[in-house]
Amino acid sequence: MILFPSVNDRIFSSKSQKEVCSILQEITEPRYTSFIKECDFIGQVDEFGFMICPYRFPSRNSFLPVIEGEIISKENGSEILIKMRLHRIVSIFMAVWFAGVFFAFLFGLLLMLADGIKTAYPFLLVSGGMIAAGQILVRLSFLLPARKALKKIRGLLE
C-alpha cells in the first residue's frame, strides 16, 4: 500500500496446525478480559487462523499492527500466511488527515501560480512538512513493532 504501510509474510513450520494454534494461544490474551496478564499479544486465535495485536502496556501506540493470519495444514507441518496492517479506524482517520493536508498543499500550489512563490511559501512549507512528518510517524510507529512481532512469531513457530 502506498499511503499506509503493510506487511505480508509467509512462515513455514514443521509443527502441526494444532501445535501452532496452541503456541499462539499461550502468548495471546483474549481482547475482552477484565485483567490482562503479562502477554505478548491480545486478540483471538483458533485452529484455522488468528487476529492479534502486539500488547504494550502502558503504551498507547495507535499505529500498532493488526496481525491477521491463516494457518494451513501441510503434509510435513504447516504454513502460516500473515498480513499486518493498520487498524481500520486509524487508517480512516489518517486518510482524512492526509487529505486535508494535501488540499492545503494544493491550495499553496494554486496560490503560487496566482501570486508568486513568496505568498505561497508558508502553505507549501507547512503542508509539505506535515505530509512528510505524518508519513514518517505512521511508518516508524507501524513498521518497528511489526518487525518485532514478526520476529517473535517466526522464532516461536520455526
Side-chain angles (χ1 to χ4, degrees):
M1 199 182 251
I2 294 172
L3 188 58
F4 301 120
S6 64
V7 175
N8 296 327
D9 203 359
R10 178 180 303 221
I11 299 173
F12 296 100
S13 177
S14 59
K15 296 171 176 52
S16 70
Q17 189 174 10
K18 288 187 180 190
E19 288 174 322
V20 168
C21 178
S22 67
I23 289 171
L24 289 174
Q25 284 175 339
E26 286 176 14
I27 61 169
T28 305
E29 274 296 307
R31 184 175 297 271
Y32 302 108
T33 57
S34 58
F35 177 73
I36 297 179
K37 62 181 183 183
E38 288 293 320
C39 63
D40 294 317
F41 300 97
I42 57 172
Q44 57 190 31
V45 179
D46 62 29
E47 193 172 325
F48 302 104
F50 54 91
M51 186 170 182
I52 57 179
C53 184
Y55 181 66
R56 304 276 186 269
F57 183 80
S59 173
R60 298 281 188 222
N61 183 355
S62 299
F63 302 105
L64 288 175
V66 174
I67 305 167
E68 296 179 35
E70 184 179 352
I71 305 168
I72 302 168
S73 183
K74 298 287 183 179
E75 51 185 62
N76 57 350
S78 57
E79 178 182 12
I80 301 96
L81 303 175
I82 295 177
K83 295 178 186 174
M84 296 186 189
R85 60 168 174 76
L86 285 173
H87 192 278
R88 285 192 177 96
I89 293 174
V90 175
S91 296
I92 292 169
F93 174 81
M94 292 307 296
V96 170
W97 189 83
F98 278 123
V101 174
F102 181 72
F103 282 123
F105 188 78
L106 286 179
F107 178 75
L109 289 177
L110 291 175
L111 192 61
M112 182 179 71
L113 294 174
D115 292 340
I117 189 72
K118 288 185 179 181
T119 309
Y121 185 69
F123 282 100
L124 294 174
L125 185 65
V126 171
S127 58
M130 288 178 73
I131 290 171
Q135 282 293 322
I136 290 169
L137 173 75
V138 169
R139 292 186 185 286
L140 285 179
S141 298
F142 173 84
L143 289 173
L144 294 176
R147 287 182 183 151
K148 187 175 180 181
L150 187 59
K151 183 179 178 183
K152 174 83 173 175
I153 293 171
R154 189 177 293 279
L156 288 170
L157 300 180
E158 285 186 336

